[in-house]
C-alpha cells in the first residue's frame, strides 16, 4: 500500500477528549473521542506544526515506556504496587460523579487502575481550569472504611482515626496523588452506576495538565472502573481510533456496544501476569512479506524458538511499538532488503530506519504482520512509516532492551475489544470513521 505525506497528521499521539456521550439502543454505551491535537481539543497548540506534535508524541512514548517498565519491575520484585506505577495515557475522558452529578475531565488510561479526581479541601493541588470536586455537595458520597475489600486493592493504603481508608499513589515521573478512597454515583452516558470506588485527592502534584482533573483507570486491576462495573458492562470495552483527516470522531464503547464480531476478527488471549493492571499479550513472530522473524525468548534456542507467554503489553497510552532489540534488528534488516529508496538519518535521533520520501509523495511500505497467539494481525502499512519532517519517513517500530509494548499508532483503524470475562483481546479491521 502507498504511504502519502498527507496522512502524517494521522499518527499524532492519540490523546482524546470524550466530548459527546450517548447511550445505544441495545443497552451499550458509546462515547465520542477527540484527538488531543485536534483544534477541538483543550490541549490544542495552534502554534505547533504537525511535525512538532509528532515529535512530542514520540518522545512521550519513551517516557511512558520507562514508567510502565518501572512499575513492572517493582511489582515483579514483590514491592507495593502503587509505590511506582504509570502515569499518563494519551486520552482524556469526561465522566460525572455525585448527586447531583459533577462533570470531571481525566486522563483515560489502560495502564492505570485507580480513578481519582482533585477534591476540596485541597492541601496541595495542581492548577486546573474547572472547579475542584467538593464531596460536601453530593448526597451519595461516602468514605470507604478500612475493612472494605477495595481498600487494600489500591496498593498503598492506610487508616485514620475515623477508620477512613486513605491512599497514596506515586507515579513514574514523580507525580503523586494522596487522599481518601470513597464511593459515589458515576454517570457514563445515560447509564448511572452507584457506589463506585474512586480516589478523592487532597494532595496532588506533578506533571498534570490544567485541563484535566485526575485519572480514569481502565486497567485490569480490581479497583479499575472496568472491573467495578463488570456486572453492568460484562467486563467489556472497546475503542476504534480514526485518522485525523477523517473529520469524524473516534469511539470508545462499553458493554454490548463493545462486542467485536465478524469474519475477519483476530482474537488473542489475555495473559494473567503482575501487575494485573496491564493487558499482556503473546507475540510469537513478525513477518515482512514472506520473511518470518520468530520471537526468541531467553529460555529458548534457535532450533526450537518459542515466545514467553505475556511478552508484550497492549497500551492505549503509548504511541510507538517497542520490540525486543533482537527482534527489532531482524525486522529492520528484512525491511532494508525490500526497500530500495535512499536511506537518511532521523533529524531528531529517535528512529533507526528512515528514508527519503519520493517526489511523488508516496512511499511503498512492505506489509508487516504481527503473529499473536491465536491469530495474525496485519498492521496498516501507512502506520509503519510516518513522515517525521518534510520529505523524511521513518519506521515507527523501535527497539527496547527491557519491555515490549504494542502502541496505539498500530492499533488505528481496528475496532479493538477487551473482554475480561473471556480473557481475550479482539481486532477487527474497520474504517472507524464510518462508525455511527
Amino acid at each position: 500500500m502507498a504511504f502519502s505525506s498527507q496522512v502524517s497528521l494521522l499518527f499524532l499521539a492519540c490523546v482524546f477528549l470524550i466530548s459527546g456521550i450517548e447511550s445505544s439502543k441495545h443497552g451499550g454505551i458509546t462515547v465520542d473521542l477527540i484527538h488531543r491535537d485536534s483544534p477541538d481539543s483543550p490541549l490544542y497548540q495552534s502554534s505547533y506544526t504537525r511535525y512538532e506534535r509528532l515529535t512530542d508524541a514520540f518522545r512521550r512514548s519513551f517516557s511512558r515506556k520507562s514508567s510502565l517498565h518501572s512499575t513492572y519491575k517493582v511489582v515483579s520484585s514483590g514491592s507495593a504496587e502503587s509505590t511506582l506505577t504509570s502515569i499518563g495515557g494519551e486520552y482524556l475522558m469526561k465522566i460525572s460523579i455525585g448527586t447531583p452529578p459533577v462533570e470531571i475531565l481525566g486522563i483515560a488510561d489502560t495502564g492505570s487502575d485507580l480513578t481519582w479526581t482533585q477534591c476540596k479541601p485541597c492541601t496541595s493541588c495542581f492548577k486546573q481550569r474547572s472547579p475542584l470536586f467538593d464531596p460536601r455537595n453530593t448526597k451519595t458520597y461516602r468514605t470507604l472504611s478500612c475493612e472494605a475489600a477495595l481498600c487494600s486493592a489500591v496498593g498503598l493504603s492506610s487508616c485514620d482515626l475515623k477508620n477512613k481508608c486513605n491512599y497514596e499513589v506515586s507515579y513514574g515521573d514523580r507525580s503523586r496523588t494522596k487522599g481518601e478512597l470513597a464511593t459515589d454515583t458515576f454517570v457514563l452516558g445515560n447509564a448511572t452506576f452507584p457506589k463506585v470506588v474512586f480516589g478523592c485527592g487532597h494532595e496532588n502534584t506533578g506533571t498534570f495538565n490544567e485541563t484535566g482533573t485526575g485519572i480514569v483507570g481502565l486497567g485490569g486491576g480490581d479497583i479499575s472502573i472496568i472491573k467495578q462495573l463488570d456486572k453492568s458492562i460484562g467486563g467489556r470495552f472497546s475503542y476504534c481510533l480514526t485518522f485525523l483527516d477523517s473529520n469524524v470522531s473516534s469511539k470508545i464503547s462499553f458493554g454490548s456496544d463493545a462486542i467485536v464480531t465478524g469474519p475477519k476478527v483476530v482474537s488473542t488471549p489475555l495473559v494473567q501476569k503482575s501487575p494485573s493492571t496491564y493487558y499482556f499479550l503473546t507475540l510469537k513472530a513478525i513477518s515482512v512479506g514472506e520473511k518470518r522473524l520468530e520471537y526468541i525468548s531467553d529460555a529458548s534456542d534457535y532450533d526450537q524458538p518459542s515466545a514467553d507467554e505475556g511478552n508484550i503489553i497492549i497500551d492505549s497510552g503509548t504511541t510507538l511499538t517497542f520490540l525486543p532489540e533482537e527482534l527489532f534488528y531482524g525486522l529492520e534488516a528484512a525491511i532494508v532488503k525490500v526497500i530500495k529508496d535512499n536511506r537518511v538519518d532521523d533529524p531528531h535521533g529517535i528512529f533507526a530506519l528512515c528514508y527519503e520520501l519520493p517526489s511523488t509523495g508516496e512511499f511503498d511500505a512492505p506489509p508487516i504482520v504481527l503473529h499473536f497467539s491465536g491469530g495474525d494481525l496485519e498492521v496498516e502499512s501507512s502506520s509503519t512509516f510516518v513522515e517525521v519532517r518534510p520529505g523524511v519517513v521513518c519506521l515507527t517500530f523501535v527497539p527496547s532492551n527491557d519491555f515490549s509494548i504494542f502502541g496505539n499508532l498500530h492499533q488505528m483503524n481496528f475496532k479493538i475489544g477487551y473482554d475480561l470475562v473471556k480473557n481475550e483481546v479482539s481486532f477487527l479491521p474497520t474504517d472507524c470513521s464510518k462508525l455511527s
Side-chain angles (χ1 to χ4, degrees):
M1 295 177 64
F3 172 89
S4 172
S5 61
Q6 296 295 321
V7 300
S8 61
L9 277 172
L10 310 178
F11 306 107
L12 302 172
C14 296
V15 178
F16 299 88
L17 166 69
I18 293 183
S19 65
I21 304 179
E22 57 190 38
S23 183
S24 75
K25 299 177 181 178
H26 43 91
I29 302 167
T30 294
V31 176
D32 287 343
L33 303 172
I34 298 176
H35 195 283
R36 71 165 290 170
D37 290 309
S38 163
D40 294 330
S41 167
L43 298 176
Y44 181 70
Q45 297 286 342
S46 59
S47 62
Y48 282 22
T49 68
R50 61 188 184 188
Y51 303 110
E52 288 174 324
R53 296 188 185 105
L54 280 168
T55 300
D56 286 348
F58 298 148
R59 287 175 174 162
R60 283 196 301 271
S61 288
F62 288 90
S63 298
R64 170 78 168 179
K65 194 265 291 185
S66 178
S67 180
L68 291 170
H69 180 245
S70 296
T71 304
Y72 180 71
K73 287 196 301 182
V74 168
V75 176
S76 299
S77 66
S79 302
E81 181 167 340
S82 66
T83 57
L84 186 64
T85 186
S86 62
I87 192 176
E90 293 285 301
Y91 305 84
L92 295 175
M93 180 174 183
K94 285 181 182 177
I95 59 176
S96 294
I97 302 177
T99 307
V102 174
E103 187 177 82
I104 69 167
L105 177 65
I107 299 167
D109 190 8
T110 55
S112 296
D113 288 329
L114 179 66
T115 296
W116 63 268
T117 189
Q118 296 200 114
C119 288
K120 288 185 176 181
C122 216
T123 307
S124 174
C125 279
F126 58 87
K127 184 180 180 181
Q128 69 176 56
R129 294 178 184 173
S130 57
L132 296 174
F133 181 79
D134 192 342
R136 295 169 298 183
N137 294 336
T138 166
K139 300 176 182 178
T140 45
Y141 181 90
R142 301 289 185 275
T143 57
L144 200 68
S145 72
C146 293
E147 289 77 24
L150 288 182
C151 179
S152 59
V154 72
L156 189 61
S157 59
S158 61
C159 279
D160 64 11
L161 296 177
K162 296 182 180 180
N163 199 36
K164 290 191 299 184
C165 180
N166 296 315
Y167 76 91
E168 182 174 355
V169 175
S170 298
Y171 295 93
D173 64 350
R174 298 184 180 180
S175 297
R176 185 185 70 158
T177 176
K178 184 178 180 181
E180 61 189 20
L181 289 182
T183 64
D184 210 332
T185 298
F186 274 46
V187 179
L188 180 60
N190 292 332
T192 300
F193 305 98
K195 299 181 179 180
V196 178
V197 176
F198 73 107
C200 199
H202 300 297
E203 297 179 37
N204 317 291
T205 59
T207 58
F208 299 99
N209 190 286
E210 65 181 48
T211 57
T213 63
I215 287 180
V216 180
L218 301 174
D222 289 339
I223 205 167
S224 78
I225 61 171
I226 302 300
K227 284 295 186 72
Q228 289 194 64
L229 304 183
D230 179 58
K231 291 182 180 179
S232 299
I233 65 174
R236 293 187 294 260
F237 73 100
S238 70
Y239 49 75
C240 198
L241 308 182
T242 62
F243 294 134
L244 210 64
D245 64 355
S246 68
N247 296 318
V248 177
S249 296
S250 300
K251 304 287 183 180
I252 184 169
S253 301
F254 302 87
S256 58
D257 278 8
I259 298 174
V260 178
T261 59
K264 296 183 179 180
V265 168
V266 173
S267 297
T268 184
L270 280 168
V271 179
Q272 303 302 309
K273 294 178 65 175
S274 293
S276 59
T277 304
Y278 299 166
Y279 296 109
F280 291 91
L281 309 179
T282 302
L283 179 64
K284 300 173 67 176
I286 296 182
S287 291
V288 180
E290 299 299 319
K291 177 67 173 179
R292 181 181 170 107
L293 306 160
E294 300 292 338
Y295 189 115
I296 301 175
S297 71
D298 294 337
S300 63
D301 56 46
Y302 289 90
D303 293 329
Q304 293 181 320
S306 65
D308 292 330
E309 286 194 350
N311 56 21
I312 190 169
I313 69 167
I314 178 171
D315 181 44
S316 66
T318 307
T319 303
L320 300 172
T321 292
F322 291 85
L323 299 175
E325 289 183 335
E326 185 173 347
L327 183 58
F328 170 80
Y329 290 118
L331 173 67
E332 180 187 47
I335 292 173
V336 168
K337 286 184 178 181
V338 176
I339 298 177
K340 304 304 180 184
D341 292 297
N342 296 326
R343 287 188 64 173
V344 295
D345 292 330
D346 173 18
H348 303 294
I350 296 174
F351 299 107
L353 183 61
C354 299
Y355 289 93
E356 181 181 336
L357 186 67
S359 58
T360 60
E362 296 186 346
F363 183 77
D364 289 324
I368 295 178
V369 177
L370 304 182
H371 302 282
F372 288 106
S373 176
D376 301 334
L377 187 70
E378 181 175 349
V379 295
E380 291 271 344
S381 60
S382 55
S383 71
T384 59
F385 279 88
V386 172
E387 189 175 14
V388 300
R389 72 168 186 181
V392 176
V393 295
C394 295
L395 177 68
T396 53
F397 292 87
V398 290
S400 171
N401 61 6
D402 51 28
F403 202 57
S404 299
I405 302 174
F406 181 39
N408 62 44
L409 184 61
H410 299 119
Q411 299 174 39
M412 290 184 175
N413 257 8
F414 289 96
K415 184 175 183 181
I416 303 176
Y418 295 70
D419 191 322
L420 305 192
V421 176
K422 293 182 178 180
N423 283 317
E424 67 180 16
V425 176
S426 298
F427 302 85
L428 178 65
T430 304
D431 183 347
C432 296
S433 66
K434 294 184 178 179
L435 294 182
S436 59

